[in-house]
Amino acid sequence: MSEGADVDINEFVMGNVKEILNIKSDDIMIEDNVILEAYNFDSIKLIQLIVEIENHYGVFVPDESLVYSNLNTISKIVSEIECLLQES
Amino acid sequence: MGRGNFVNYVYYQASGEFFEILNKRNFAYCVIKGAPLSYLAYGDFEYRLSCDIDLLTDRKNLSFIEKVLLQCSFQPAKSETDFEKNRRNRMLMLTKSHQIFPFVKKVKGIYVRIDLNFDILWGESDENIDVSAFIEDRLMMNIYGHNIYTLSSCKMLICLCLHNYKDINSLYLLQKENPINSERFADIYNLILHTGDDFVADELKKICERFCIKQYIYYMLYYTYKIYNDKKLLKLVIALEDEQGKEILDYYGLHKSERKRWRIPFEERLNHKKIGELLLDDYTEENIEKLKINQELFE
């Protein structure tokens, strides 16, 4: 398992989403299953997030998962990382 | 001799080994458009001018196909020295497009290019096609001595219509050379004409409904009929009549969020030399931003 795996994945993803959207933690709470589209989290921002995730956890999101509709909620992204970490 | 002047011949000679490996592994791929379409529509591999070989496969197969291409001396057409930039570009293609960067090999002064398509719909479409299901009944065609998988005339027509719909509705391509040209409609018409009685409207309708693409095929057949006014086309237009298809006839733009009503009648926009200039006033800031991303990625 890679170095970053001990960090709470949900917390890591949420933190990065807030950073990319420039949202301060006390401004708004992003719920676990929020649809990222509602925050104008388009595919460019999604890519920024996936790059952060890949660098942090040392994993590669496979081609078949890189579909916007597969990764448009926090919970889908977290679940994808969990699967990748289990496989690695 | 057709108009292709043997370019297609060079393409297939240069990629014969590549297809042989895929066939030996029983790998699910199909060549769409290009030489097979030229043959199905005009009875001649060389008639249509092609600038590449378009390969369609499921996105889960892309990595393997890329390895085989490298093994056969093809190289990625666009590659950054910076690993992270490469990775970002690939993600961009996978999330916002229907293809990844092509592979090329220079043979006898000709760049043989293979495009890797993983969808027949466009990147930002709300729907995705199950490519494995779409190509499950693929057919073998012998092209210049090489056995290569391609599609039936019916499915080739679907690919051609979707490809042309994408091009003539793309805000990005409408700013380049006018994609609304007679040749696109001629290919559709000739494919239908040359397929003869095998073209069953019911089969076409069934496939379109299965893959939820009827509106786009209706759109292309409607305008092809408008040009050629042929009974055979009318039969297909009637069979594929579709409310959503009718709704989009007067609009351009691929995603519903960017659709705009045409201010220019079809007869005028067909082959218009400066279509982009006429449309630019309709583009929003967001549209312009998207054009810049496309330029960076594709040019």
Side-chain angles (χ1 to χ4, degrees), chain A residues 37 40 42-44 46-48 50-52 54-55 59-69, chain B residues 58-63 66 83-84 87-88 90-96 100 124 126 128 293:
Chain A
E37 224 169 8
N40 195 22
D42 58 19
S43 44
I44 303 287
L46 177 66
I47 288 166
Q48 203 179 330
I50 300 294
V51 168
E52 291 295 334
E54 289 189 343
N55 288 343
V59 291
F60 279 111
V61 179
D63 293 345
E64 56 268 36
S65 300
L66 283 168
V67 181
Y68 185 76
S69 56
Chain B
D58 194 288
R59 64 167 71 214
K60 68 173 188 274
N61 299 330
L62 291 171
S63 298
E66 286 172 296
F83 174 80
E84 199 167 299
R87 183 71 183 139
R88 276 175 196 269
R90 186 181 178 83
M91 286 184 190
L92 209 52
M93 300 293 275
L94 285 161
T95 53
K96 289 182 83 73
I100 54 170
E124 286 178 289
D126 290 333
N128 291 104
I293 293 169

Side-chain angles (χ1 to χ4, degrees), chain B residues 258-274:
Chain B
E258 65 179 21
R259 252 175 222 153
K260 301 167 203 309
R261 186 180 273 277
W262 276 109
R263 290 183 284 110
I264 311 156
F266 176 72
E267 292 76 9
E268 267 181 54
R269 59 188 190 250
L270 182 68
N271 300 319
H272 195 291
K273 298 282 181 216
K274 291 179 177 172

Side-chain angles (χ1 to χ4, degrees), chain B residues 4-19 31-36 45-46 48-55 69 72 74 103-115 143-146 148:
Chain B
N5 294 321
F6 292 108
V7 167
N8 281 349
Y9 176 80
V10 176
Y11 285 175
Y12 284 90
Q13 291 310 315
S15 50
E17 181 196 3
F18 165 69
F19 287 112
V31 171
I32 53 171
K33 301 179 288 162
F45 287 127
E46 294 286 342
R48 275 181 90 251
L49 290 169
S50 295
C51 53
D52 53 32
I53 294 176
D54 268 295
L55 197 123
L69 281 164
C72 298
F74 282 87
F103 277 67
V104 290
K105 178 159 81 170
K106 197 175 178 184
V107 179
K108 294 175 183 168
I110 294 173
Y111 282 98
V112 178
R113 183 177 129 152
I114 298 188
D115 272 2
I143 306 177
Y144 304 115
H146 299 283
I148 286 162

Side-chain angles (χ1 to χ4, degrees), chain B residues 106-222:
Chain B
K106 197 175 178 184
V107 179
K108 294 175 183 168
I110 294 173
Y111 282 98
V112 178
R113 183 177 129 152
I114 298 188
D115 272 2
L116 299 176
N117 300 274
F118 50 83
D119 207 333
I120 49 173
L121 287 172
W122 34 99
E124 286 178 289
S125 165
D126 290 333
E127 308 94 26
N128 291 104
I129 295 277
D130 179 348
V131 171
S132 297
F134 188 78
I135 66 173
E136 66 192 1
D137 56 351
R138 64 194 179 142
L139 306 169
M140 181 79 89
M141 187 183 272
N142 190 285
I143 306 177
Y144 304 115
H146 299 283
N147 286 328
I148 286 162
Y149 281 103
T150 186
L151 295 168
S152 65
S153 292
C154 194
K155 285 198 170 163
M156 188 67 89
L157 177 71
I158 289 172
C159 279
L160 180 62
C161 286
L162 290 176
H163 172 76
N164 287 341
Y165 177 86
K166 170 182 67 66
D167 281 6
I168 67 179
N169 278 282
S170 157
L171 299 189
Y172 167 64
L173 292 178
L174 282 162
Q175 286 304 316
K176 295 165 74 82
E177 199 177 336
N178 186 1
I180 312 168
N181 60 59
S182 306
E183 287 197 1
R184 291 183 186 276
F185 297 96
D187 284 343
I188 293 173
Y189 182 52
N190 278 289
L191 180 57
I192 293 166
L193 274 191
H194 278 79
T195 309
D197 295 334
D198 293 342
F199 232 111
V200 183
D202 286 348
E203 188 196 346
L204 183 64
K205 188 180 169 189
K206 209 170 129 188
I207 300 169
C208 289
E209 282 171 351
R210 179 182 174 197
F211 293 98
C212 307
I213 49 177
K214 206 165 84 173
Q215 55 178 316
Y216 309 119
I217 310 303
Y218 172 79
Y219 176 104
M220 290 310 301
L221 293 175
Y222 174 88

